[in-house]
Amino acid sequence: MKIARPVWGLIAALVLLPVAYSQQVQQQEQLQKNGPPPAVKPATKIAKEDRQFALQMLEVADSTARGFEPPMRTWGMLQLGQTFNSSDPAKAKALFIDAFTASLSIADDDRTKETLQDEIFRGLLPLSQADVEERLAQAESPVRKRTSEAIVRRYVEKKQYGPAMDLITQVTGWDEFPYASGTSLLMAMPAEMQAEKMTLLTQAVASYKAHDHPGVQVGQGTMTQMMVRFGAKMPPKLALEAIDELLSQAKKSEEKASVVLSGQGGTAAFNSIYEYQLFALLPLLRNLDEGRAENLLKENASLNASLEKLPNGMQSLDPNMTDVPLKDGQNGGIGSSVTTGNSAASSVSANYLLEESRRKAFQIIADSNKNPLQAIAQAQGLPMTVADQRSSPRAQALEGIARENLKTSPGAARQAVDELRKTVVDLPLRAQVQFLASSADLYLQLGEKESAGKVVEEGFKLSAKILDHDLNPDDPNKALKAWWPSADAYRRFIDVETKLSHRGAVEILKEIKDPEVRMVESIMLSRALLGLAMKSVRTEENTKSGKSISVFDSN
């Protein structure tokens, strides 16, 4: 990405500003040694100056971002809007609108454009639904649909069922029935609105029949899950019509796929989209047409083992997958691993091991407060990595045990973190970053500042290596720089270093050699100073060797 010439002066300012702040921190540390003047509270003064410096950095980041090409300019305005969301809603709204305007200039990268517009509307919607609706027509088509679904959910939260139904009808006219928000609305509507529920379900079935679905559709927001939740309450004729269509489209699909599901009740693996759909729908079909259900099961005998273990299909995996919202204290959800293409068949066992290992890790974490030392031993028995090193159940379990026992058993938590540190060295580079950052944060919460500092120092060295990889002139990462793995790595360790030493975080910022990544991290440092954690993080690689995208909740 090219950088406009006038920006270089601002980039220099971004480098020089941390120098001034280092001097400011040194003066504050000296002040603390000698004692403050009467009537001055050092902690209050430092906090105020931290905020002032953070706002100064954000101003520089604003000016810098506006000089970048449209994708990074859009991302910069978006992040700044999120940063001011609570403290200055009017400024945040203006920044979100500027971000959307910038996004309209993004060319030849529809996916990046859509992703940024989604985030912009997600931030702007709570501030001004009217401004979102005014710009919907200019947004990419998938963004219009997803944002409209978000507006439907807002109506549902306010129990404004009429406007929600009207908007669902409008969205269905644009493209296809919005199954995710439709499911939310159906679960929220009171029993006396049964006629309206049937209208929505009829509309959903008709919309599904009117569209082809050649790929794999698993999880929330699918017609399949809607049928699992509401099929038993539908008129039998309508339910059978929906089942026929789901199975027919799955059988016609030429997409090679393997699907592995895991939930509270266990794990199940399927060798095709059709097998998955049959597993999900057979329990309902048995109640509607037992003879046909038995015939289908005979024709697909490979499902016998899964249905014997999980007789209610999806609801055996997740007993809380019903037609009503979760109650307080209830947990639900189904994990999934999907592989498509020629490697689908060979990946079933690996994906099964992945989901089963994750399930065991979560169970060990959940039970760890009963006997944390035993939990650590059980975690050591989990695989180091599974599914081509995409996941580390052992590291995941050790991290979870430490977090679960921080307050009640700090000694055991410390032991779990120590074991995690030993595990990290055998993981791929990006996984090392993830669990090193977690280790540093956990050490800090345990009061082990020296240990946290050593881990952070190691983490910054890894971040620099990953940045070199992203910048590789022979095969550079063509994804948006804000989503580079190196940007995520720096963010994680800057967040911990800011809690250890503001000056140390500022010094690291100056050492980042790429100006756009430096701008990204200046915003991250400002957010850390202001106590604003990232809610979710996206990483992306786009190189000759392939593409990968990860979206995850941030610690």
Side-chain angles (χ1 to χ4, degrees):
M1 298 177 186
K2 296 181 180 179
I3 302 170
R5 289 183 181 275
V7 175
W8 289 108
L10 294 168
I11 292 173
L14 190 59
V15 173
L16 292 174
L17 189 54
V19 176
Y21 185 63
S22 295
Q23 296 171 348
Q24 185 183 79
V25 172
Q26 287 176 326
Q27 292 170 357
Q28 292 167 1
E29 291 175 349
Q30 188 64 39
L31 181 64
Q32 288 179 313
K33 289 179 182 178
N34 298 334
V40 175
K41 297 180 179 180
T44 302
K45 184 176 181 181
I46 292 173
K48 181 179 179 181
E49 289 173 346
D50 288 345
R51 176 175 174 77
Q52 181 181 2
F53 176 68
L55 293 176
Q56 287 175 334
M57 290 192 75
L58 291 172
E59 286 180 11
V60 174
D62 187 338
S63 300
T64 304
R66 291 179 189 274
F68 289 139
E69 294 296 318
M72 280 299 290
R73 182 161 77 245
T74 302
W75 185 90
M77 298 299 98
L78 164 63
Q79 286 297 318
L80 290 165
Q82 291 178 349
T83 303
F84 287 106
N85 206 7
S86 300
S87 60
D88 193 341
K91 185 170 185 175
K93 185 173 84 166
L95 285 161
F96 284 133
I97 291 172
D98 285 350
F100 182 77
T101 301
S103 76
L104 298 177
S105 299
I106 297 175
D108 303 322
D109 193 348
D110 291 342
R111 184 171 47 76
T112 295
K113 188 175 185 177
E114 288 176 17
T115 302
L116 290 169
Q117 287 184 348
D118 271 332
E119 287 292 317
I120 292 164
F121 281 159
R122 193 174 296 125
L124 182 58
L125 187 56
L127 299 176
S128 176
Q129 183 170 317
D131 278 302
V132 171
E133 292 177 353
E134 180 183 335
R135 289 161 178 80
L136 269 182
Q138 296 175 276
E140 298 297 289
S141 177
V143 178
R144 288 204 304 272
K145 182 179 178 181
R146 288 189 289 265
T147 302
S148 296
E149 290 203 51
I151 295 173
V152 169
R153 288 191 290 270
R154 286 171 62 85
Y155 282 136
V156 170
E157 290 171 3
K158 298 174 184 177
K159 299 184 178 180
Q160 296 176 342
Y161 304 125
M165 289 186 67
D166 291 343
L167 187 52
I168 281 178
T169 300
Q170 185 178 353
V171 173
T172 304
W174 290 342
D175 183 7
E176 187 174 357
F177 186 91
Y179 303 104
S181 56
T183 297
S184 298
L185 177 56
L186 285 163
M187 288 195 296
M189 292 167 76
E192 57 267 24
M193 295 188 73
Q194 186 65 17
E196 289 85 351
K197 290 183 180 182
M198 289 305 106
T199 297
L200 282 170
L201 288 166
T202 302
Q203 194 176 26
V205 175
S207 182
Y208 192 88
K209 290 178 68 176
H211 293 82
D212 292 327
H213 305 85
V216 185
Q217 297 188 334
V218 177
Q220 296 182 358
T222 62
M223 184 68 195
T224 303
Q225 194 173 112
M226 182 177 279
M227 289 304 299
V228 172
R229 291 182 183 275
F230 302 104
K233 301 289 181 69
M234 293 167 64
K237 183 178 179 181
L238 181 63
L240 286 169
E241 184 182 341
I243 291 171
D244 286 343
E245 188 64 29
L246 283 160
L247 293 179
S248 174
Q249 290 204 29
K251 199 162 192 175
K252 287 188 297 185
S253 176
E254 297 179 356
E255 178 90 70
K256 294 179 180 178
S258 68
V259 180
V260 180
L261 306 178
S262 65
Q264 296 176 28
T267 304
F270 312 99
N271 293 305
S272 67
I273 302 171
Y274 182 74
E275 276 193 9
Y276 155 70
Q277 293 283 27
L278 204 53
F279 170 81
L281 298 170
L282 264 177
L284 173 60
L285 184 59
R286 277 201 186 105
N287 294 329
L288 298 170
D289 188 339
E290 186 174 1
R292 185 180 170 209
E294 293 306 315
N295 287 335
L296 284 172
L297 191 54
K298 288 178 183 177
E299 294 171 6
N300 298 271
S302 59
L303 283 179
N304 274 310
S306 294
L307 284 169
E308 284 178 7
K309 184 174 63 173
L310 304 162
N312 292 320
M314 304 286 276
Q315 289 173 322
S316 288
L317 288 170
D318 178 11
N320 292 320
M321 187 182 289
T322 66
D323 61 343
V324 296
L326 292 173
K327 297 178 182 177
D328 290 342
Q330 282 187 326
N331 294 309
I334 292 177
S336 64
S337 293
V338 178
T339 303
T340 59
N342 293 328
S343 63
S346 61
S347 69
V348 172
S349 58
N351 285 341
Y352 185 92
L353 178 60
L354 171 63
E355 292 300 330
E356 184 67 6
S357 297
R358 283 176 176 171
R359 187 182 69 82
K360 289 179 179 178
F362 290 141
Q363 192 61 55
I364 290 171
I365 294 167
D367 296 338
S368 65
N369 54 3
K370 299 174 185 175
N371 188 334
L373 297 181
Q374 182 184 51
I376 292 171
Q378 291 173 331
Q380 300 283 38
L382 292 173
M384 177 70 75
T385 59
V386 292
D388 296 328
Q389 299 189 330
R390 283 183 285 149
S391 180
S392 175
R394 186 185 303 176
Q396 188 177 38
L398 289 168
E399 179 191 355
I401 292 167
R403 293 195 184 281
E404 190 74 16
N405 293 275
L406 272 173
K407 294 181 180 179
T408 55
S409 302
R414 169 62 192 263
Q415 184 175 334
V417 184
D418 289 344
E419 293 299 327
L420 178 60
R421 286 284 290 110
K422 297 174 187 175
T423 298
V424 163
V425 297
D426 295 319
L427 296 176
L429 197 58
R430 286 174 61 180
Q432 285 188 46
V433 165
Q434 175 188 344
F435 291 110
L436 268 180
S438 295
S439 299
D441 178 65
L442 286 162
Y443 278 133
L444 190 59
Q445 292 188 58
L446 288 163
E448 301 281 349
K449 291 187 177 182
E450 184 177 349
S451 296
K454 290 179 180 178
V455 175
V456 168
E457 184 178 353
E458 184 180 347
F460 281 130
K461 292 177 182 177
L462 288 178
S463 302
K465 286 183 181 179
I466 298 175
L467 180 57
D468 287 338
H469 177 74
D470 282 328
L471 289 168
N472 180 4
D474 296 324
D475 189 13
N477 188 349
K478 295 181 180 179
L480 187 72
K481 287 188 179 182
W483 298 335
W484 279 4
S486 55
D488 174 55
Y490 274 115
R491 174 195 64 80
R492 290 172 181 268
F493 295 109
I494 281 175
D495 185 64
V496 180
E497 180 64 22
T498 302
K499 298 169 187 173
L500 287 166
S501 165
H502 297 170
R503 180 170 48 172
V506 170
E507 292 299 320
I508 289 297
L509 189 66
K510 292 189 296 179
E511 294 177 8
I512 299 174
K513 57 188 175 184
D514 184 89
E516 290 176 296
V517 175
R518 191 186 311 126
M519 184 273 292
V520 170
E521 303 310 331
S522 72
I523 295 176
M524 296 301 105
L525 175 54
S526 298
R527 290 184 70 122
L529 286 167
L530 296 170
L532 300 173
M534 294 284 286
K535 293 182 179 179
S536 65
V537 176
R538 180 186 183 94
T539 61
E540 186 170 333
E541 279 190 288
N542 182 2
T543 63
K544 294 175 184 176
S545 57
K547 297 180 181 180
S548 67
I549 299 172
S550 300
V551 181
F552 51 90
D553 292 333
S554 175
N555 292 332

